Amino acid sequence: MKEIDLRSDTVTRPTSGMLKAIMSAEVGDDVYKEDPTVNALEEKLAKMFGMDEALFFPTGSMANQAAIKLHTQPGEQLICDKWAHVFNYEGGGVSFNSGVSCKLVDGDRGMITAAQVEENINPPDFYHSPLTTLVCLENTTNKGGGACYDLEEIKKVRNVCNTNNLGLHLDGARLFNALVAKNEDPKDYGKLFDTISVCLSKGLGTPMGSVLIGEKKLMKNAIRIRKVLGGGMRQIGFMAAAGIYALDNQFDRLAEDHKRAKEIAETLASATYVDKVEPVETNIAIFYLKNASNEAAFMKKLQKENIRISNMGQGKLRIVTHLDYSEEMHQKFLKLLKEIKL
Ligand SMILES: *Cc1c(COP(=O)(O)O)cnc(C)c1O
Protein backbone atom coordinates (compact mmCIF):
# COMPACT_ATOMS: atom_id res chain seq x y z
CA MET A 1 0.00 0.00 0.00
CA LYS A 2 1.01 3.60 -0.60
CA GLU A 3 2.49 5.63 2.21
CA ILE A 4 -0.05 6.80 4.80
CA ASP A 5 0.94 10.40 5.52
CA LEU A 6 -0.94 11.83 8.50
CA ARG A 7 1.49 14.65 9.32
CA SER A 8 -0.78 17.35 7.92
CA ASP A 9 -3.76 18.02 5.66
CA THR A 10 -1.36 19.94 3.40
CA VAL A 11 0.22 16.77 1.94
CA THR A 12 -2.67 16.06 -0.47
CA ARG A 13 -2.38 15.92 -4.27
CA PRO A 14 -5.02 17.48 -6.52
CA THR A 15 -7.87 15.09 -7.34
CA SER A 16 -8.56 14.26 -11.00
CA GLY A 17 -11.60 16.57 -11.00
CA MET A 18 -9.45 19.37 -9.64
CA LEU A 19 -6.74 18.75 -12.25
CA LYS A 20 -9.38 19.03 -15.00
CA ALA A 21 -10.62 22.32 -13.50
CA ILE A 22 -7.03 23.61 -13.42
CA MET A 23 -6.32 22.59 -17.01
CA SER A 24 -9.46 24.21 -18.36
CA ALA A 25 -9.24 27.47 -16.40
CA GLU A 26 -9.58 30.74 -18.22
CA VAL A 27 -6.71 33.00 -17.09
CA GLY A 28 -5.29 36.49 -17.40
CA ASP A 29 -2.76 38.70 -15.64
CA ASP A 30 -3.95 38.99 -12.06
CA VAL A 31 -1.53 41.83 -11.29
CA TYR A 32 -3.71 43.84 -13.70
CA LYS A 33 -6.73 42.20 -11.98
CA GLU A 34 -7.52 40.66 -15.38
CA ASP A 35 -7.68 37.02 -14.40
CA PRO A 36 -11.38 36.10 -14.62
CA THR A 37 -10.98 32.93 -12.55
CA VAL A 38 -9.21 34.73 -9.69
CA ASN A 39 -11.86 37.43 -9.79
CA ALA A 40 -14.58 34.77 -9.67
CA LEU A 41 -12.97 33.03 -6.68
CA GLU A 42 -12.62 36.32 -4.80
CA GLU A 43 -16.22 37.23 -5.53
CA LYS A 44 -17.43 33.77 -4.50
CA LEU A 45 -15.70 33.96 -1.11
CA ALA A 46 -16.71 37.57 -0.41
CA LYS A 47 -20.30 36.56 -1.11
CA MET A 48 -20.07 33.37 0.94
CA PHE A 49 -19.01 35.39 4.01
CA GLY A 50 -21.30 38.33 3.25
CA MET A 51 -18.29 40.68 3.17
CA ASP A 52 -17.29 43.42 0.73
CA GLU A 53 -14.06 42.18 -0.83
CA ALA A 54 -11.63 39.30 -1.09
CA LEU A 55 -8.05 39.00 -2.34
CA PHE A 56 -6.14 35.88 -3.40
CA PHE A 57 -2.77 35.23 -1.73
CA PRO A 58 -0.13 32.57 -2.37
CA THR A 59 -0.06 31.46 1.29
CA GLY A 60 -2.02 31.73 4.50
CA SER A 61 0.94 33.29 6.26
CA MET A 62 1.04 36.11 3.72
CA ALA A 63 -2.71 36.68 4.02
CA ASN A 64 -2.41 36.88 7.83
CA GLN A 65 0.63 39.15 7.64
CA ALA A 66 -1.14 41.47 5.20
CA ALA A 67 -4.18 41.60 7.49
CA ILE A 68 -2.01 42.49 10.50
CA LYS A 69 -0.34 45.24 8.45
CA LEU A 70 -3.75 46.59 7.38
CA HIS A 71 -4.89 46.86 10.99
CA THR A 72 -1.78 48.25 12.70
CA GLN A 73 1.03 50.82 12.80
CA PRO A 74 4.63 50.07 13.92
CA GLY A 75 5.01 50.06 17.71
CA GLU A 76 1.50 48.84 18.34
CA GLN A 77 0.49 45.54 19.92
CA LEU A 78 -1.89 42.76 19.02
CA ILE A 79 -3.50 40.23 21.36
CA CYS A 80 -3.44 36.51 20.51
CA ASP A 81 -3.25 33.11 22.15
CA LYS A 82 0.24 31.87 23.12
CA TRP A 83 -0.12 29.05 20.57
CA ALA A 84 -1.26 31.30 17.71
CA HIS A 85 0.10 30.53 14.25
CA VAL A 86 0.66 34.25 13.59
CA PHE A 87 3.05 34.34 16.56
CA ASN A 88 4.70 30.91 16.41
CA TYR A 89 4.80 29.79 12.80
CA GLU A 90 5.07 32.81 10.53
CA GLY A 91 8.78 33.39 10.97
CA GLY A 92 8.42 36.41 13.25
CA GLY A 93 6.58 38.21 10.48
CA VAL A 94 4.45 40.22 12.91
CA SER A 95 7.53 42.14 14.04
CA PHE A 96 9.38 41.99 10.69
CA ASN A 97 6.52 43.13 8.45
CA SER A 98 4.45 45.31 10.75
CA GLY A 99 6.79 46.29 13.60
CA VAL A 100 4.14 45.05 15.98
CA SER A 101 4.48 43.04 19.21
CA CYS A 102 2.20 40.27 20.46
CA LYS A 103 0.57 40.11 23.88
CA LEU A 104 0.28 36.38 24.45
CA VAL A 105 -2.74 35.03 26.27
CA ASP A 106 -2.78 31.71 28.11
CA GLY A 107 -5.89 30.31 26.44
CA ASP A 108 -7.57 26.92 26.30
CA ARG A 109 -6.37 24.74 23.38
CA GLY A 110 -5.48 27.88 21.44
CA MET A 111 -8.72 29.72 22.17
CA ILE A 112 -9.02 32.90 24.23
CA THR A 113 -12.06 34.41 25.95
CA ALA A 114 -13.50 37.92 25.76
CA ALA A 115 -12.57 38.41 29.44
CA GLN A 116 -8.94 37.53 28.66
CA VAL A 117 -8.90 39.94 25.73
CA GLU A 118 -10.23 42.71 27.96
CA GLU A 119 -7.60 42.03 30.68
CA ASN A 120 -4.79 42.25 28.15
CA ILE A 121 -5.62 45.60 26.57
CA ASN A 122 -3.05 48.23 27.54
CA PRO A 123 -4.74 51.42 28.79
CA PRO A 124 -4.64 53.69 25.72
CA ASP A 125 -3.64 56.84 27.63
CA PHE A 126 -0.76 55.06 29.46
CA TYR A 127 1.83 56.07 26.86
CA HIS A 128 4.58 53.84 28.33
CA SER A 129 2.98 50.67 26.93
CA PRO A 130 2.44 49.77 23.31
CA LEU A 131 -0.98 50.76 22.04
CA THR A 132 -3.25 47.72 21.65
CA THR A 133 -5.02 47.90 18.29
CA LEU A 134 -5.80 44.36 17.11
CA VAL A 135 -7.06 40.99 18.31
CA CYS A 136 -6.25 37.84 16.30
CA LEU A 137 -8.27 34.69 16.83
CA GLU A 138 -7.62 31.30 15.19
CA ASN A 139 -10.44 28.92 14.22
CA THR A 140 -9.95 26.00 14.17
CA THR A 141 -6.81 26.13 16.28
CA ASN A 142 -3.79 24.38 14.83
CA LYS A 143 -1.59 23.72 17.87
CA GLY A 144 -4.77 23.43 19.94
CA GLY A 145 -5.72 20.29 18.01
CA GLY A 146 -8.44 21.55 15.67
CA ALA A 147 -10.56 23.00 18.47
CA CYS A 148 -13.51 25.21 17.45
CA TYR A 149 -14.59 28.46 19.02
CA ASP A 150 -18.08 28.93 20.37
CA LEU A 151 -19.65 31.64 18.22
CA GLU A 152 -21.19 33.20 21.34
CA GLU A 153 -17.71 33.79 22.78
CA ILE A 154 -16.60 35.43 19.52
CA LYS A 155 -19.60 37.78 19.77
CA LYS A 156 -18.37 38.81 23.23
CA VAL A 157 -14.85 39.36 21.87
CA ARG A 158 -16.38 41.54 19.13
CA ASN A 159 -18.12 43.64 21.80
CA VAL A 160 -14.83 44.11 23.68
CA CYS A 161 -13.17 45.16 20.41
CA ASN A 162 -15.96 47.64 19.66
CA THR A 163 -15.77 49.17 23.14
CA ASN A 164 -11.98 49.51 22.94
CA ASN A 165 -11.62 50.44 19.31
CA LEU A 166 -9.70 47.30 18.33
CA GLY A 167 -9.64 45.51 14.99
CA LEU A 168 -10.59 41.82 14.90
CA HIS A 169 -8.85 39.42 12.52
CA LEU A 170 -9.58 35.71 12.12
CA ASP A 171 -6.85 33.30 11.09
CA GLY A 172 -9.30 30.92 9.46
CA ALA A 173 -6.77 28.60 7.83
CA ARG A 174 -9.09 25.74 8.86
CA LEU A 175 -12.30 27.74 9.21
CA PHE A 176 -13.98 25.43 6.68
CA ASN A 177 -13.48 22.54 9.11
CA ALA A 178 -15.21 24.53 11.87
CA LEU A 179 -18.10 25.47 9.55
CA VAL A 180 -18.68 21.80 8.68
CA ALA A 181 -18.15 20.46 12.23
CA LYS A 182 -20.49 22.96 13.86
CA ASN A 183 -22.85 23.43 10.91
CA GLU A 184 -22.29 27.20 11.06
CA ASP A 185 -23.12 29.93 8.54
CA PRO A 186 -20.03 31.69 7.13
CA LYS A 187 -22.04 34.93 7.11
CA ASP A 188 -22.06 34.89 10.92
CA TYR A 189 -18.26 35.10 10.76
CA GLY A 190 -18.44 37.83 8.15
CA LYS A 191 -20.54 39.91 10.53
CA LEU A 192 -18.14 39.51 13.46
CA PHE A 193 -14.68 39.97 11.94
CA ASP A 194 -13.08 42.88 10.08
CA THR A 195 -10.82 40.50 8.15
CA ILE A 196 -10.75 36.72 7.69
CA SER A 197 -8.04 34.61 6.06
CA VAL A 198 -8.94 31.15 4.74
CA CYS A 199 -6.64 28.46 3.31
CA LEU A 200 -7.61 26.48 0.23
CA SER A 201 -4.57 24.22 0.59
CA LYS A 202 -5.50 22.55 3.90
CA GLY A 203 -8.60 20.35 4.11
CA LEU A 204 -9.92 21.59 0.78
CA GLY A 205 -6.89 20.09 -0.93
CA THR A 206 -5.62 22.63 -3.47
CA PRO A 207 -1.87 22.83 -4.23
CA MET A 208 -1.71 26.44 -3.00
CA GLY A 209 -3.70 29.54 -2.20
CA SER A 210 -5.33 31.51 0.56
CA VAL A 211 -7.85 34.29 0.45
CA LEU A 212 -8.18 37.36 2.65
CA ILE A 213 -11.76 38.56 2.99
CA GLY A 214 -12.76 41.85 4.59
CA GLU A 215 -14.47 45.17 4.78
CA LYS A 216 -13.92 47.62 1.94
CA LYS A 217 -12.30 50.36 4.01
CA LEU A 218 -9.51 48.00 5.15
CA MET A 219 -9.25 45.95 1.96
CA LYS A 220 -8.65 48.93 -0.31
CA ASN A 221 -4.99 48.81 0.79
CA ALA A 222 -4.68 45.03 0.73
CA ILE A 223 -3.48 44.82 -2.87
CA ARG A 224 -0.69 47.32 -2.19
CA ILE A 225 0.48 45.36 0.87
CA ARG A 226 0.34 42.11 -1.11
CA LYS A 227 2.57 43.77 -3.70
CA VAL A 228 5.03 44.92 -0.99
CA LEU A 229 5.16 41.37 0.38
CA GLY A 230 5.90 40.06 -3.12
CA GLY A 231 2.59 38.27 -3.49
CA GLY A 232 1.33 39.67 -6.79
CA MET A 233 0.96 36.78 -9.23
CA ARG A 234 0.17 36.58 -12.95
CA GLN A 235 -1.91 33.74 -14.54
CA ILE A 236 -2.78 32.38 -11.12
CA GLY A 237 -6.32 31.59 -12.22
CA PHE A 238 -5.09 28.00 -12.61
CA MET A 239 -4.84 27.82 -8.83
CA ALA A 240 -8.00 29.86 -8.27
CA ALA A 241 -9.81 27.27 -10.43
CA ALA A 242 -8.59 24.59 -8.02
CA GLY A 243 -10.05 26.69 -5.18
CA ILE A 244 -13.43 27.08 -6.86
CA TYR A 245 -13.51 23.36 -7.62
CA ALA A 246 -12.64 22.54 -3.99
CA LEU A 247 -15.34 24.83 -2.57
CA ASP A 248 -17.94 23.26 -4.87
CA ASN A 249 -16.86 19.62 -4.63
CA GLN A 250 -14.57 18.95 -1.67
CA PHE A 251 -16.19 20.97 1.10
CA ASP A 252 -18.87 18.66 2.52
CA ARG A 253 -16.46 15.75 2.56
CA LEU A 254 -14.52 17.39 5.41
CA ALA A 255 -17.06 15.60 7.63
CA GLU A 256 -15.38 12.29 6.63
CA ASP A 257 -12.02 13.57 7.85
CA HIS A 258 -13.63 14.54 11.14
CA LYS A 259 -15.27 11.12 11.55
CA ARG A 260 -11.97 9.32 10.91
CA ALA A 261 -10.03 11.58 13.29
CA LYS A 262 -12.60 10.81 16.01
CA GLU A 263 -12.29 7.06 15.35
CA ILE A 264 -8.50 7.30 15.59
CA ALA A 265 -8.84 9.21 18.89
CA GLU A 266 -11.22 6.56 20.29
CA THR A 267 -8.82 3.78 19.34
CA LEU A 268 -5.91 5.65 20.90
CA ALA A 269 -7.88 6.38 24.07
CA SER A 270 -8.28 2.65 24.74
CA ALA A 271 -4.68 1.76 23.82
CA THR A 272 -2.52 0.68 26.77
CA TYR A 273 0.43 2.84 25.67
CA VAL A 274 -1.49 6.13 25.46
CA ASP A 275 -1.68 8.54 28.39
CA LYS A 276 -4.08 11.16 27.13
CA VAL A 277 -5.93 12.11 23.94
CA GLU A 278 -7.09 15.69 23.48
CA PRO A 279 -10.77 16.11 22.54
CA VAL A 280 -11.22 15.80 18.76
CA GLU A 281 -13.63 18.26 17.17
CA THR A 282 -12.39 18.32 13.57
CA ASN A 283 -9.57 16.62 11.60
CA ILE A 284 -6.72 16.84 14.13
CA ALA A 285 -6.00 14.36 16.91
CA ILE A 286 -3.33 15.20 19.49
CA PHE A 287 -2.20 12.58 21.99
CA TYR A 288 0.53 11.76 24.50
CA LEU A 289 2.23 8.42 25.14
CA LYS A 290 2.31 7.08 28.72
CA ASN A 291 6.03 6.91 28.58
CA ALA A 292 7.58 9.72 26.57
CA SER A 293 10.74 7.64 26.19
CA ASN A 294 8.72 5.24 24.00
CA GLU A 295 8.20 7.94 21.40
CA ALA A 296 11.05 6.84 19.14
CA ALA A 297 9.97 3.19 19.32
CA PHE A 298 6.36 4.13 18.53
CA MET A 299 7.34 6.27 15.55
CA LYS A 300 9.59 3.44 14.31
CA LYS A 301 6.74 0.92 14.40
CA LEU A 302 4.61 3.28 12.34
CA GLN A 303 7.47 3.96 9.95
CA LYS A 304 7.89 0.22 9.35
CA GLU A 305 4.31 0.16 8.07
CA ASN A 306 4.97 3.23 5.92
CA ILE A 307 2.92 5.53 8.18
CA ARG A 308 3.98 9.08 9.07
CA ILE A 309 2.63 11.30 11.84
CA SER A 310 3.93 14.52 13.44
CA ASN A 311 5.99 14.77 16.58
CA MET A 312 5.29 18.18 18.10
CA GLY A 313 7.83 17.81 20.92
CA GLN A 314 7.28 17.55 24.68
CA GLY A 315 5.66 14.16 24.19
CA LYS A 316 2.95 15.61 21.97
CA LEU A 317 2.05 13.60 18.85
CA ARG A 318 -0.29 14.79 16.12
CA ILE A 319 -2.39 13.09 13.46
CA VAL A 320 -4.24 15.03 10.76
CA THR A 321 -6.77 13.36 8.44
CA HIS A 322 -7.39 14.57 4.88
CA LEU A 323 -8.72 13.67 1.46
CA ASP A 324 -5.80 11.42 0.49
CA TYR A 325 -6.39 9.28 3.60
CA SER A 326 -8.72 6.60 2.29
CA GLU A 327 -11.07 4.25 4.17
CA GLU A 328 -8.71 1.36 3.34
CA MET A 329 -5.78 3.23 4.89
CA HIS A 330 -7.95 4.13 7.85
CA GLN A 331 -8.85 0.50 8.60
CA LYS A 332 -5.22 -0.55 8.29
CA PHE A 333 -4.12 2.24 10.64
CA LEU A 334 -6.79 1.49 13.28
CA LYS A 335 -5.83 -2.19 13.23
CA LEU A 336 -2.16 -1.35 13.70
CA LEU A 337 -2.89 1.04 16.59
CA LYS A 338 -4.78 -1.77 18.34
CA GLU A 339 -1.93 -4.26 17.81
CA ILE A 340 1.01 -2.10 18.84
CA LYS A 341 2.69 -3.01 22.12
CA LEU A 342 5.25 -0.75 23.77
C1 LIG B 1 -1.49 26.51 7.74
C2 LIG B 1 -1.86 27.63 8.59
C3 LIG B 1 -1.66 28.96 8.18
C4 LIG B 1 -1.04 29.34 6.86
O1 LIG B 1 0.04 28.61 6.53
P1 LIG B 1 0.77 28.71 5.11
O2 LIG B 1 1.63 27.50 5.16
O3 LIG B 1 1.50 29.98 5.10
O4 LIG B 1 -0.27 28.64 4.05
C5 LIG B 1 -2.09 29.96 9.03
N1 LIG B 1 -2.67 29.68 10.21
C6 LIG B 1 -2.90 28.44 10.62
C7 LIG B 1 -3.58 28.20 11.93
C8 LIG B 1 -2.49 27.36 9.83
O5 LIG B 1 -2.72 26.12 10.25
Side-chain angles (χ1 to χ4, degrees):
M1 194 190 281
K2 276 205 312 216
E3 176 180 73
I4 302 178
D5 193 344
L6 293 165
R7 288 171 301 163
S8 173
D9 47 11
T10 55
V11 300
T12 58
R13 268 66 162 194
T15 55
S16 60
M18 184 178 283
L19 282 173
K20 282 200 194 95
I22 293 170
M23 295 308 285
S24 55
E26 199 188 322
V27 296
D29 189 337
D30 183 50
V31 170
Y32 292 117
K33 287 311 285 164
E34 284 173 5
D35 187 307
T37 310
V38 174
N39 293 341
L41 172 69
E42 291 172 348
E43 214 167 285
K44 186 180 177 74
L45 279 163
K47 210 165 153 198
M48 182 178 176
F49 284 85
M51 298 183 93
D52 299 330
E53 282 181 27
L55 192 67
F56 190 63
F57 280 81
T59 68
S61 297
M62 196 190 282
N64 282 333
Q65 291 301 315
I68 291 164
K69 184 70 194 151
L70 284 170
H71 281 280
T72 59
Q73 293 299 321
E76 294 177 351
Q77 191 164 73
L78 66 80
I79 295 173
C80 65
D81 183 87
K82 65 182 186 298
W83 286 351
H85 194 281
V86 294
F87 176 72
N88 289 287
Y89 303 121
E90 295 182 9
V94 175
S95 51
F96 189 88
N97 298 313
S98 297
V100 162
S101 57
C102 296
K103 181 74 154 278
L104 301 181
V105 177
D106 187 16
D108 170 33
R109 292 184 296 140
M111 299 180 291
I112 60 179
T113 65
Q116 286 177 313
V117 169
E118 200 161 22
E119 279 164 26
N120 283 285
I121 301 170
N122 296 327
D125 44 7
F126 187 68
Y127 57 79
H128 306 277
S129 334
L131 185 67
T132 310
T133 48
L134 176 64
V135 177
C136 290
L137 304 184
E138 192 173 305
N139 197 27
T140 69
T141 62
N142 179 336
K143 208 175 173 188
C148 304
Y149 267 91
D150 179 353
L151 210 52
E152 291 308 309
E153 194 60 39
I154 300 180
K155 285 181 190 162
K156 291 182 195 161
V157 172
R158 175 77 256 180
N159 286 336
V160 171
C161 291
N162 288 349
T163 310
N164 295 278
N165 203 19
L166 311 179
L168 184 57
H169 171 68
L170 177 63
D171 175 355
R174 290 192 181 80
L175 182 57
F176 298 124
N177 293 87
L179 292 174
V180 167
K182 302 197 79 179
N183 197 19
E184 290 168 334
D185 182 352
K187 293 197 175 60
D188 287 336
Y189 284 86
K191 280 182 204 132
L192 292 168
F193 289 92
D194 303 310
T195 48
I196 299 174
S197 65
V198 294
C199 279
L200 302 165
S201 57
K202 300 276 167 83
L204 287 186
T206 74
M208 63 169 285
S210 281
V211 176
L212 183 66
I213 313 154
E215 301 299 339
K216 199 177 225 122
K217 73 176 191 320
L218 279 165
M219 291 298 288
K220 69 176 190 327
N221 287 325
I223 199 161
R224 177 185 293 276
I225 293 171
R226 188 183 69 177
K227 185 75 192 182
V228 171
L229 296 175
M233 298 174 287
R234 304 294 180 179
Q235 286 71 28
I236 201 62
F238 292 116
M239 292 300 104
I244 293 172
Y245 180 86
L247 287 165
D248 290 342
N249 300 282
Q250 298 180 170
F251 185 97
D252 295 331
R253 62 152 307 285
L254 290 172
E256 284 173 38
D257 298 344
H258 300 171
K259 179 172 162 280
R260 290 189 183 123
K262 284 196 179 97
E263 288 169 359
I264 292 169
E266 279 160 23
T267 303
L268 286 168
S270 54
T272 53
Y273 52 87
V274 171
D275 180 33
K276 182 181 158 203
V277 187
E278 296 287 359
V280 173
E281 294 184 57
T282 54
N283 67 330
I284 304 177
I286 286 178
F287 64 102
Y288 304 84
L289 296 183
K290 264 193 189 131
N291 193 341
S293 61
N294 278 337
E295 226 167 74
F298 180 71
M299 297 294 268
K300 207 165 165 197
K301 279 184 201 279
L302 295 185
Q303 210 173 28
K304 229 180 96 207
E305 300 296 325
N306 223 357
I307 298 169
R308 303 176 80 179
I309 70 170
S310 284
N311 185 342
M312 302 184 86
Q314 297 151 345
K316 200 164 170 169
L317 299 171
R318 186 183 83 166
I319 284 166
V320 188
T321 56
H322 51 72
L323 68 85
D324 281 352
Y325 177 60
S326 66
E327 186 57 30
E328 190 191 357
M329 292 172 176
H330 184 50
Q331 293 310 327
K332 176 185 163 174
F333 185 48
L334 292 181
K335 186 163 171 278
L336 180 73
L337 289 178
K338 284 176 197 154
E339 287 168 358
I340 283 180
K341 290 195 176 48
L342 287 177

